[in-house]
Amino acid sequence: MSDKVEMTIEPGFLSRLVFKMRAVSLGDEDTPRDARDNAGQGGHHVTLAEEVGSGGTQAQLVDEIDRMVPEHQHELVALMWLGRGDFDADGWEEALSLAAERADTPTAHYLLAHPLCADEIASGLEALGHDHILQDGAY
């Protein structure tokens, strides 16, 4: 893909949303092995729930996704499809179009029914050359 795809979702919001999706799907007990190891050696790791705060419930995440404008919801679905390999970066416009066409189920319900949606969205961002937003919150 020669030109970088322009996203319309505010990058900081998208970064926080992916983090919240991970928190909801993993829960506070399921932390990466290196974090558990550091905690076992007397260090304290910041859990997903601590990072997200008390607002990390699935109901609140569903509400946040449902309040997004449809175009942004379509981008989330297209990113997930891209990240799981249903499309490649050159098929971005097709993925967006199909996401809009198939938007007959609430987006939050559809996304959260896929346990790896946060990782797949992150992989979709990477395929489009935007994976850095998960670190710096900017395009």
Side-chain angles (χ1 to χ4, degrees), residues 56-127:
T57 68
Q58 183 162 345
Q60 290 167 327
L61 181 59
V62 167
D63 183 56
E64 196 166 356
I65 294 169
D66 286 346
R67 285 185 283 122
M68 295 173 72
V69 297
E71 293 78 13
H72 292 175
Q73 292 177 359
H74 303 157
E75 281 187 11
L76 283 177
V77 171
L79 281 168
M80 184 182 77
W81 289 344
L82 192 72
R84 70 180 188 193
D86 296 340
F87 294 88
D88 61 17
D90 290 329
W92 174 248
E93 291 300 324
E94 181 184 356
L96 272 178
S97 178
L98 190 60
E101 181 183 313
R102 293 188 177 174
D104 53 0
T105 304
T107 302
H109 182 273
Y110 177 74
L111 291 171
L112 297 176
H114 296 85
L116 299 176
C117 73
D119 292 336
E120 290 166 342
I121 289 170
S123 294
L125 286 166
E126 182 177 358

